[in-house]
Amino acid sequence: MKPGLAVLLLAFVACASPIATAAEWPSRPVHFIVPFPAGGSTDVAARVVGDYLSRALGQQIVVENKSGANGNIAMEYVAKSAPDGYTILIGTDAVSSNPHVYKMEIDPLKDLVPVIELSRQPIALAANPSLGVTTLAELTALVKQQPGLGFATGSGAGSLQAMVGLWYAKLAGIRLEQVPYRGGGQAINDLVAGHVKLGSLGTTPLVSYYKSGGLNLLAQSMATRSAALPSVPTFQEAGIDGLVIDQRTGVFVPAGTPPEVITLLNTQINAALKDEKVRKLFADQAQEPGGGTAEQYTRQVREDSETYGRLVKELNVKVE
């Protein structure tokens, strides 16, 4: 074969292979990589949507929990995986916030491609009843008398849960200390047991304990009250002006993933988020379904990065 023809043939194969992969996708099980242990809000969202996609795509969705380093381990694992649509990150706002706090082996905004927003929910400030407070005003008064109270988070420094707790403390003029856990489930267990008296956590694992009286929810972080928690005031309603933020969960693939795969994945997940059974399961867990285009979610991720960059500086967030 002539050298020139060989070069042209190799170029054709290189250009054609992603399209062939996209046309066949998925032809084997797809892996959802969750950055936190089972039981937290991200894990729940991944399993609800994964179950729907398994039926819709005719292939098993395998959920893998790769926790650690506030989500960095999972993010780096997915970013370094083959960009073929078979390794997918079910990530959180950590994609936007972690680069402002940690030294990472990847750049999440370049090495991961946003596919779709999966869900959003508030961060809630939860208190063990033994703390003796049922309102945010009572907590503020208590911590002014006893500064340095620890608050549990289901993720590390720089996470949205941590920043909400520190943000509230700064605006209220008090001092709180973060107690980080590897996942929301573990943090909840210690909070309910009273090993830690306060928590700043996603609402999914809190709902059942709140309804049973096992925990008091003092405030939630979205602009309006979650439909699942209609009696819990927002931070703004509780007198903490300006503290408004959503915890988002979304879908990401490695950079270089064929656009056809991204489009199909986005289409199928949008369909899942409109399914009545999926919507009810999300609502039961105090999560609001997301949806939309990949372009819309990409803009949101970048806007969130700017917000977290500002908060990291204002709150002096650092990894110990």
Side-chain angles (χ1 to χ4, degrees), residues 6 25 34 82 113 134 142 182 219 249-250 266 271 277 299 305 316:
W25 185 89
V34 176
V113 177
T134 57
L142 175 67
R182 290 175 67 90
T249 299
N266 177 276
K277 181 180 178 181
R299 286 194 296 272
S305 177
N316 194 31

Side-chain angles (χ1 to χ4, degrees), residues 36-62:
F36 305 104
S41 56
T42 309
D43 179 75
V44 170
R47 293 179 189 278
V48 169
V49 172
D51 183 62
Y52 178 96
L53 291 183
S54 290
R55 298 190 302 272
L57 297 174
Q59 287 290 344
Q60 183 182 10
I61 305 296
V62 180

Side-chain angles (χ1 to χ4, degrees), residues 145-308:
Q145 297 299 317
Q146 303 174 28
L149 179 68
F151 70 97
T153 62
S155 45
S159 67
L160 182 56
Q161 295 174 11
M163 283 194 270
V164 165
L166 296 174
W167 195 1
Y168 151 66
K170 180 177 181 180
L171 293 176
I174 59 177
R175 182 169 64 85
L176 296 174
E177 299 289 343
Q178 183 191 3
V179 182
Y181 287 78
R182 290 175 67 90
Q186 296 173 352
I188 289 288
N189 288 340
D190 272 9
L191 181 59
V192 171
H195 301 312
V196 61
K197 304 292 187 181
L198 188 68
S200 178
L201 297 156
T203 49
T204 292
L206 293 173
V207 174
S208 62
Y209 294 103
Y210 168 66
K211 290 182 176 179
S212 68
L215 292 172
N216 296 325
L217 298 194
L218 311 180
Q220 53 182 313
S221 68
M222 292 175 72
T224 58
R225 299 185 185 193
S226 166
L229 299 167
S231 61
V232 179
T234 66
F235 276 97
Q236 293 217 123
E237 289 173 332
I240 306 298
D241 291 336
L243 202 168
V244 179
I245 201 162
D246 304 349
Q247 176 173 285
R248 301 178 190 274
T249 299
V251 180
F252 301 82
V253 293
T257 299
E260 294 87 351
V261 170
I262 294 173
T263 298
L264 179 56
L265 190 57
N266 177 276
T267 299
Q268 291 291 345
I269 294 177
N270 264 310
L273 296 174
K274 293 176 182 176
D275 180 80
E276 287 303 317
K277 181 180 178 181
V278 170
R279 295 182 70 86
K280 184 181 185 305
L281 288 169
F282 270 56
D284 290 344
Q285 300 293 330
Q287 296 194 50
E288 297 181 8
T293 67
E295 292 75 18
Q296 289 171 329
Y297 189 42
T298 298
R299 286 194 296 272
Q300 184 65 61
V301 168
R302 294 188 179 281
E303 288 174 8
D304 287 347
S305 177
E306 294 177 3
T307 298
Y308 297 135

Side-chain angles (χ1 to χ4, degrees), residues 106-147:
I106 63 164
D107 181 344
L109 297 184
K110 293 181 180 179
D111 298 327
L112 294 170
V113 177
V115 175
I116 190 170
E117 181 186 48
L118 208 55
S119 67
R120 51 188 172 271
Q121 65 177 311
I123 299 295
L125 208 57
N128 185 289
S130 66
L131 190 60
V133 300
T134 57
T135 69
L136 201 62
E138 290 175 351
L139 175 65
T140 301
L142 175 67
V143 181
K144 283 184 177 179
Q145 297 299 317
Q146 303 174 28

